[in-house]
Amino acid sequence: MTVTAKNSKGTELFVGTASGVDADSYLDGVAQEQISDVSFPNSASHRFTPGDAKPEADIADRDWWISSDTGKTVAKTFDLDAEPQVLVIAPANSDDSLDGTTVSLQMRVKGVFALSLLGIAGTIILAGFSVFFFMRWWASRIRPPKKDVGPPNGSGPDGGGDGPSGGFGRGGREPATDRTVKGEPGPATQPISTVQPDTAGQAPPRRRVLRNRRSFRAVTASVLGTGLVLSGCANMPIAKPSSPDTTPYERTAVRAGEAGKFMTNYTESLDKTLGDKGSDLDKIQAAPLIDHTRAQIQIADKAKQKLRAPNFTEVVAGSPNFTEYPMWFYAFGTADKKSTDGDKQLTQVMLVTRESASTDPLVRSASYIPTDQMPTLMADDSGAVEKGPEDFSEDLTTASGDVSSFLVDGKAKSGGPEGLKEGGFKGFRDYLGDLRDKDSGFDKVDVDCKPYEDLKFEDMTLSTENGAIGMGEVRCTLTIKAPSDYALDLGDTVEAVKTNDKEGDTIKVDTAHPYVLMKTGDELTAVATDWNVLSSKVE
């Protein structure tokens, strides 16, 4: 089928196909005319839905269009047995309208003409046979009966005698056989072998059976002919295309083959944002990650350093959320060795959310794990990855408390996740040790840590081949008190993120500790490769 839209006023039109979940979300609350069914050649089911004059975001900028085109005349051709899609026709410029737009549909079906000719020819032939049999029956019905040869037995104008010779004599009577035929009474006694049944006036049995058979044959031919003629007037099922099933629309948060495209677009956007000192950062990131990036931009600017986004050699994405907004997914990118420090190759784990089809995907959390620890995601035929089991969500909540406790006192609880004495967790504890060293000059260094609660990490987990994977974050506040006769000097990192210029002997530093929690069998492992300074203020 080909759908064509043409505008007589020269308005630039847009045509696009999308999964229903995207189109429904994008057009929610927008005035629209919905065509739900078409019956060829000239009937359509449609209804108008009132709403806003235009969508929230420009229609051509959305990344979920399966196909799209613009022009004063636009067209889309698709197979009727293809996967269900929504076709959207709109003005390319949101300030324009669809006034003067005509939409037409054309359907191409193979073999209709040839099948029609065969059907017509067959109907004519069968109708001819019906007429032929009917005429034969009718002719036999009105044909006169055959005449008998010779006069009836013993019948004559003069009657007959009753002599022993059985001849006819004047005044005599007819023989017994003739009296029996005519129904006259016979002699008182006669041999049983000479008694004949009274068959006068009856049609021959052969004649009656023949008439019944001819009647049955004529009626059958008539009914059969009529039925075939009527069937020729009905729709031929071979030439009638089937309508596509309107099953619930399905799509992956990142469709198959598009994980690399998402990572590339995100990396390019992040590079541009970092080069512009954080402009438009909120279009690609959201809390808690955006807090980390803004602080890193300030620190890099203070240290005269240049930040850049990592490059990825291999990417994969997974999500259990397919059919509704808001949605979320995990993206995994194996970083180029030149993009990260250290000898081990690392894989960046990102948690991404998307509120609606009118908004862009936002990266909410990002952290690294060693590439050799990257678990295998188990996806079904449609690309969906099962959500992590409920007990793992409970483990994630418990682990956030264990991480917070370890960052405060450096003691790993029994039964807690492995890995707390390594990587970024160890790095933070070493930093605290340096501040508390007697040579540092500080009187007191206190730390308070709590799990980050503004994002429900426990609701966003994925199952893996041997367990599950999720993310979390802990926020800490350092309270550093220096002697009154000392000047505070905490280095460029803390100075770069100061939020006030107040004089004092106490400084508070806020830090962030993102991590990845993985479960393999019954073993829990928390992985953090780094930690971030977010802000500082003097009191």
Side-chain angles (χ1 to χ4, degrees), residues 161-174:
D162 56 357
S165 62
F168 291 92
R170 180 180 292 275
R173 293 181 296 179
E174 297 177 354

Side-chain angles (χ1 to χ4, degrees), residues 36-37 41 62 88 100 135 155 196 202 234 238 243 262 304 308 310 323 349 358 377 387 422 467 470 532:
S36 58
D37 189 31
R62 301 297 87 204
V88 179
M135 294 303 295
S155 62
Q196 301 292 331
Q202 294 184 11
I238 297 177
S243 300
F262 166 77
K304 306 299 181 184
R308 61 183 179 85
T323 58
V349 183
S358 298
L377 301 179
K387 192 175 179 179
E422 303 173 4
N532 302 278

Side-chain angles (χ1 to χ4, degrees), residues 308 336-346 368 530:
R308 61 183 179 85
D336 188 299
K337 290 185 178 180
K338 297 179 180 179
S339 300
T340 56
D341 297 330
D343 298 332
K344 287 187 176 182
Q345 190 170 24
L346 301 177
Y368 285 96
D530 206 351

Side-chain angles (χ1 to χ4, degrees), residues 107 219 235 401 440:
M107 185 174 64
V219 172
N235 291 330
S440 66

Side-chain angles (χ1 to χ4, degrees), residues 410-485:
K411 298 178 181 179
K413 292 183 178 180
S414 176
E418 300 292 329
L420 295 182
K421 296 182 179 182
E422 303 173 4
F425 304 125
K426 180 178 182 299
F428 179 73
R429 290 299 307 172
D430 291 343
Y431 181 76
L432 278 178
D434 291 340
L435 292 177
R436 289 171 173 171
D437 188 90
K438 61 180 181 179
D439 295 334
S440 66
F442 296 115
D443 284 344
K444 188 177 182 181
V445 177
D446 290 331
V447 59
D448 179 50
C449 297
K450 295 180 180 179
Y452 184 85
E453 297 179 346
D454 291 343
L455 183 65
K456 299 297 183 181
F457 288 102
E458 63 272 14
D459 293 337
M460 293 175 283
T461 63
L462 291 180
S463 293
T464 63
E465 183 177 20
N466 299 311
I469 187 170
M471 299 190 74
E473 182 166 319
V474 170
R475 293 286 177 94
C476 296
T477 299
L478 298 173
T479 301
I480 306 170
K481 185 174 179 61
S484 57
D485 56 344

Side-chain angles (χ1 to χ4, degrees), residues 355-369:
E355 294 300 316
S356 72
S358 298
T359 61
D360 294 321
L362 298 175
V363 181
R364 306 296 299 273
S365 183
S367 186
Y368 285 96
I369 61 174

